[in-house]
Amino acid sequence: MLEIKDLHATVQGKEILKGVNLIIEPGEVHAIMGPNGSGKSTLSYVLAGRDGYEVTGGRIIYEGEDLTELDPEERAAKGIFLAFQYPVEIPGVPNSTFLNEAVNAVRRYRGEDELDKIQFVKMLRAKTKELNMSDEMLKRAVNVGFSGGEKKRNEVLQMAVLEPKLSILDETDSGLDIDALKIVSDGVNALRAPDRSSLVITHYQRLLDYIVPDKVHVLARGRIQKTGGKELALELEKNGYADYAGEEAA
Amino acid sequence: MTAVSFLEGGLDANRALPGDGLDWLKKRRDKGAEKFGALGLPTPKLESWKYTRLRPLDDNTYTPVLDGAGDASVKDLPSVGDVAGRLVFVNGKLREDLSDVSDLPEGVRFGPLDEILKDDPAWAEAHLGVVAQDADQAMLALNDAMMDSGFVLHVQKGVVLRKPVEVVMVGGMTDQPVAYFPRNLIVIEPNAQATLVKHHVGRGVGAYFANAATEIDVADGAIFKNYKVQAESMQATHVSTTHARVGRDATFESFNLSIGGLLSRSEAWITLAGEGAHCGFNGAYMMRGNEHCDNTSYIDMAVPNTTCKQVYKGVLDDAARAVFQGKIHVARDAQKADGRMLNKTLLLSNEAEIDTKPELEIYADDVQCAHGATTGQLDQTALFYLRSRGIPEALARNMLVQSFLGDALDEITDAHVREVFMDRVVHWLPAHCYLAGEWKESA
């Protein structure tokens, strides 16, 4: 599904990723944990193709294709989805309109017919019901006036509607209470399938009680420092990141 | 071009200006000519013209429109649809073949100024030049001297005009640069209600200079909505000076959507003259290329218990430039005044420029007033957010521009006009790619 080879990336001239290697097979859920400033969010932005995050070395191979030259919208159309740590508010654009545009843009790109309004609304209703979301949240402007939990649920709704093959969740657990965490995790778990993979980026082990990973990686100082099973997360929770802190992350 | 040559051009043309033979009007014209002769065209040396220079008037010699310059064939003129009456002017001349005022309700007069000067000179004398009085506005003085036809809207006491009336002013399509000077007079009597939509459009090639003056009297308890779309050509110089007086418990709402014109200046002087008067004075501007758009306003909260709200938002691309100068003045005894002013501009290019000057001048001590201005670029995080959901960059940019302008357009209280104006915004956007469908539900 995804193969990251010796990935180097800079932001505003500063090298943040210094040779990341990672392989995610179809159907797998991987977690990336690490201290603040280790490059976790940078990795998620680089994978999603954000401007200003420059790949200076290495490759990102997704389904056999090098992604590094593709625009964010092309990556989205190919099935990559990034759930934002801080979802953006867009006043004046109704959530349902935004979702409709996104779904049809992706369908157009893939050469599929666009959904008409009735088809779209039917699909959307089903998804919101699964996620226990109110129709009212669809009418409101994108993320405007949403609580922290509602914003994250809205991210999961977008994910459910776009049905990505590779979901990247950037600190989706931050700012969530236990109930919201459970709803969000259920949404992610509902998408688990043999042909779909997830990369869960988190600072805390808590989320991994709900989204159980196949593999856990520790990212620090711009590199994967250690890889293990889900027990590695528990170990980190107990001992902290002190073992991985280099001179830069002190 | 010198200030005087406008007037000489007018005299040389030796044509009958509207109201020929009316003594009081001749005096007014003479006084205007004298004043303009003394003032000359405004220059950036004047505080209120610091950011706008009437440069196109230096480059061309504009001749006042002669008969025949308004005869060109024009098609596909804009409209908001179902209206109570419609007047079309081409280069300042009424085009009866394109106008329709056959179905006006009782108590409503809507026609060209020259007709009213002929039919009811006493009424015209009692109203023309009453609200628009200012000693040092050169452009108003020039209009006083040269005033062409323009339109009159007069709604009698208590009459409620359910459908809007519409004016279309077309410029261009001449071999030589032309100038015209519409004079408009709007009188909404006590407790009457009316909505006016004005479209300014440029057609064909040919430079033109429109110098309009509009007087608006919104009497006690009346409601008047004044909506303008300025979609002039890249050869147009558009100057408009509006004076409005708002009476006790009356409401004056204005929205100026500027989407085109080489150089435009919309200047408004509004007096909230009666207690309980309210003014919503709003607009949006979208400029590209080397267009220049100036919105200047002065709102005088002259008596206690008045309210005004001003929201102007704009988007500038390429080397376009906009000017916002707004002043709210609260008189000494105008207690409990509530005045709000906001100007926000989005710069889509490094070469675009906004000069913004929001001002409050408060002499009363028990008021609620606020003003603010911001300038920024498209939010890169928001752009990435939309693109990461598969939305192509061009559409994502347009969505963000629409989102930005949306809350200015939300100030338009007429839902149908708001929809038509949003559609104009959308058609300004690059590649016309936009949100189909559900936009209007956002309000």
Side-chain angles (χ1 to χ4, degrees):
Chain A
M1 171 78 56
L2 182 74
E3 184 177 2
I4 300 173
K5 282 186 190 164
D6 192 30
L7 183 66
H8 292 252
T10 59
V11 183
Q12 291 175 334
K14 189 170 187 261
E15 186 169 58
I16 307 289
L17 300 183
K18 301 169 182 175
V20 174
N21 290 291
L22 185 67
I23 293 174
I24 302 177
E25 299 294 347
E28 287 183 348
V29 173
H30 287 221
I32 289 193
M33 301 181 73
N36 291 326
S38 59
K40 301 193 300 290
S41 283
T42 298
L43 178 61
S44 69
Y45 286 148
V46 167
L47 291 174
R50 183 170 183 172
D51 283 349
Y53 288 73
E54 201 190 338
V55 173
T56 50
R59 297 211 292 165
I60 305 167
I61 309 293
Y62 167 76
E63 300 218 299
E65 185 187 5
D66 193 333
L67 280 186
T68 44
E69 294 301 316
L70 296 184
D71 286 335
E73 53 268 39
E74 292 174 302
R75 300 183 197 206
K78 288 179 183 295
I80 292 178
F81 181 91
L82 170 63
F84 279 47
Q85 184 178 3
Y86 303 109
V88 181
E89 296 185 8
I90 305 182
V93 178
N95 212 12
S96 56
T97 306
F98 165 60
L99 290 165
N100 199 349
E101 289 294 340
V103 166
N104 281 337
V106 166
R107 293 182 71 94
R108 274 196 304 274
Y109 187 89
R110 291 176 187 162
E112 298 165 5
D113 287 338
E114 293 185 22
L115 295 182
D116 65 30
K117 209 166 164 178
I118 295 165
Q119 292 169 318
F120 174 74
V121 167
K122 203 174 159 196
M123 183 268 280
L124 191 58
R125 287 262 156 80
K127 301 283 185 189
T128 45
K129 211 172 159 192
E130 279 172 30
L131 290 168
N132 222 345
M133 282 173 71
S134 66
D135 284 354
E136 195 248 335
M137 270 174 76
L138 297 172
K139 288 180 192 149
R140 280 153 62 183
V142 179
N143 292 325
V144 176
F146 284 28
S147 70
E150 284 174 331
K151 282 182 183 172
K152 295 296 168 73
R153 244 188 291 173
N154 202 28
E155 293 294 286
V156 175
L157 173 65
Q158 292 164 38
M159 197 164 95
V161 165
L162 292 171
E163 299 185 326
K165 288 185 199 155
L166 175 65
S167 310
I168 304 157
L169 291 95
D170 186 9
E171 309 237 2
T172 295
D173 49 336
S174 65
L176 289 190
D177 61 29
I178 288 293
D179 291 339
L181 193 66
K182 200 167 175 318
I183 290 168
V184 166
S185 305
D186 287 349
V188 175
N189 288 331
L191 270 179
R192 284 186 101 148
D195 58 344
R196 293 182 204 280
S197 309
S198 299
L199 181 60
V200 180
I201 292 171
T202 181
H203 189 79
Y204 303 103
Q205 182 271 334
R206 191 177 66 151
L207 178 66
L208 304 181
D209 287 342
Y210 299 94
I211 306 171
V212 180
D214 297 301
K215 278 184 183 163
V216 175
H217 311 273
V218 181
L219 180 68
R221 286 171 287 140
R223 279 202 192 112
I224 302 285
Q225 304 288 348
K226 191 174 181 181
T227 295
K230 60 185 180 216
E231 66 290 344
L232 179 57
L234 294 166
E235 187 192 312
L236 288 167
E237 187 77 359
K238 208 168 127 200
N239 302 332
Y241 294 108
D243 296 350
Y244 306 96
E247 64 281 8
E248 289 164 66
Chain B
M1 142 162 261
T2 66
V4 183
S5 59
F6 281 115
L7 304 174
E8 282 172 349
L11 297 172
D12 288 349
N14 198 24
R15 67 203 171 108
L17 287 165
D20 198 29
L22 294 173
D23 226 22
W24 61 270
L25 189 57
K26 186 173 184 315
K27 276 187 195 146
R28 187 164 185 99
R29 288 187 186 279
D30 289 348
K31 209 174 140 198
E34 193 187 321
K35 206 190 287 176
F36 182 70
L39 293 168
L41 281 173
T43 70
K45 282 182 193 152
L46 291 169
E47 175 72 18
S48 66
W49 286 83
K50 189 176 170 188
Y51 305 104
T52 296
R53 190 180 140 84
L54 293 169
R55 195 169 282 124
L57 302 187
D58 296 336
D59 304 339
N60 285 307
T61 300
Y62 292 81
T63 318
V65 170
L66 300 173
D67 289 341
D71 295 346
S73 146
V74 281
K75 278 190 262 183
D76 303 323
L77 292 174
S79 174
V80 289
D82 192 15
V83 292
R86 175 173 158 94
L87 294 173
V88 177
F89 295 84
V90 176
N91 288 327
K93 298 283 176 191
L94 178 73
R95 284 285 293 270
E96 280 182 40
D97 58 320
L98 302 170
S99 302
D100 182 7
V101 287
S102 59
D103 203 19
L104 289 170
E106 197 138 328
V108 177
R109 184 148 61 174
F110 182 50
L113 176 67
D114 50 355
E115 189 181 290
I116 275 101
L117 288 171
K118 256 183 244 148
D119 296 352
D120 197 353
W123 185 87
E125 185 179 1
H127 291 92
L128 196 71
V130 173
V131 176
Q133 300 248 10
D134 190 274
D136 25 82
Q137 287 173 353
M139 303 314 280
L140 177 62
L142 178 60
N143 184 280
D144 275 353
M146 301 294 295
M147 65 173 89
D148 258 309
S149 189
F151 66 89
V152 171
L153 172 63
H154 174 205
V155 185
Q156 285 178 14
K157 202 185 259 185
V159 172
V160 175
L161 197 49
R162 303 233 171 256
K163 293 180 194 170
V165 289
E166 188 167 56
V167 174
V168 186
M169 300 245 177
V170 189
M173 300 169 298
T174 54
D175 299 336
Q176 301 203 336
V178 292
Y180 54 94
F181 306 87
R183 181 58 168 246
N184 312 314
L185 178 59
I186 295 161
V187 177
I188 313 296
E189 290 192 1
N191 301 313
Q193 295 182 20
T195 299
L196 169 71
V197 182
K198 287 183 287 183
H199 307 267
H200 295 261
V201 294
R203 283 295 153 82
V205 288
Y208 58 97
F209 166 49
N211 181 40
T214 304
E215 296 182 68
I216 303 172
D217 186 359
V218 190
D220 296 352
I223 298 174
F224 179 56
K225 299 180 183 181
N226 185 41
Y227 300 123
K228 170 176 163 183
V229 187
Q230 177 206 309
E232 302 276 27
S233 81
M234 280 302 291
Q235 310 237 38
T237 302
H238 170 113
V239 177
S240 80
T241 310
T242 300
H243 284 257
R245 184 195 165 281
V246 189
R248 178 184 285 265
D249 297 321
T251 294
F252 173 51
E253 181 191 324
S254 174
F255 195 95
N256 180 12
L257 178 65
S258 306
I259 51 176
L262 177 62
L263 189 153
S264 59
R265 159 104 166 186
S266 299
E267 184 172 324
W269 295 74
I270 297 154
T271 305
L272 301 180
E275 284 199 43
H278 171 71
C279 164
F281 196 78
N282 309 297
Y285 42 93
M286 309 177 78
M287 295 283 141
R288 59 164 63 99
N290 59 346
E291 292 176 312
H292 178 116
C293 172
D294 176 331
N295 282 288
T296 292
S297 60
Y298 182 93
I299 299 173
D300 184 13
M301 306 181 84
V303 298
N305 296 308
T306 60
T307 52
C308 79
K309 186 177 179 196
Q310 191 170 14
V311 180
Y312 266 80
K313 294 184 95 171
V315 177
L316 304 175
D317 204 350
D318 304 326
R321 189 173 170 196
V323 177
F324 175 84
Q325 302 184 106
K327 186 183 264 189
I328 294 177
H329 173 270
V330 183
R332 190 170 302 280
D333 60 353
Q335 304 298 359
K336 307 286 180 194
D338 186 331
R340 317 267 158 187
M341 183 195 297
L342 184 66
N343 172 232
K344 286 187 170 185
T345 306
L346 199 55
L347 300 175
L348 299 180
S349 133
N350 289 333
E351 285 175 87
E353 180 180 329
I354 169 77
D355 297 288
T356 178
K357 202 168 99 178
E359 288 180 280
L360 295 173
E361 200 173 291
I362 301 170
Y363 296 99
D365 53 20
D366 182 14
V367 301
Q368 284 198 38
C369 288
H371 68 331
T374 64
T375 301
Q377 292 170 328
L378 222 48
D379 180 345
Q380 292 302 312
T381 306
L383 191 61
F384 172 58
Y385 188 61
L386 294 175
R387 294 177 72 192
S388 76
R389 300 310 182 241
I391 295 171
E393 183 176 4
L395 175 58
R397 293 176 77 90
N398 287 353
M399 283 172 83
L400 293 175
V401 169
Q402 259 182 295
S403 155
F404 175 78
L405 292 176
D407 57 347
L409 276 96
D410 283 348
E411 296 294 324
I412 300 173
T413 57
D414 184 303
H416 175 63
V417 171
R418 185 170 62 235
E419 208 175 294
V420 171
F421 278 29
M422 186 47 100
D423 192 53
R424 300 300 296 268
V425 166
V426 156
H427 280 81
W428 182 91
L429 295 168
H432 297 193
C433 64
Y434 56 97
L435 300 174
E438 288 173 271
W439 182 265
K440 48 186 170 275
E441 290 174 16
S442 67

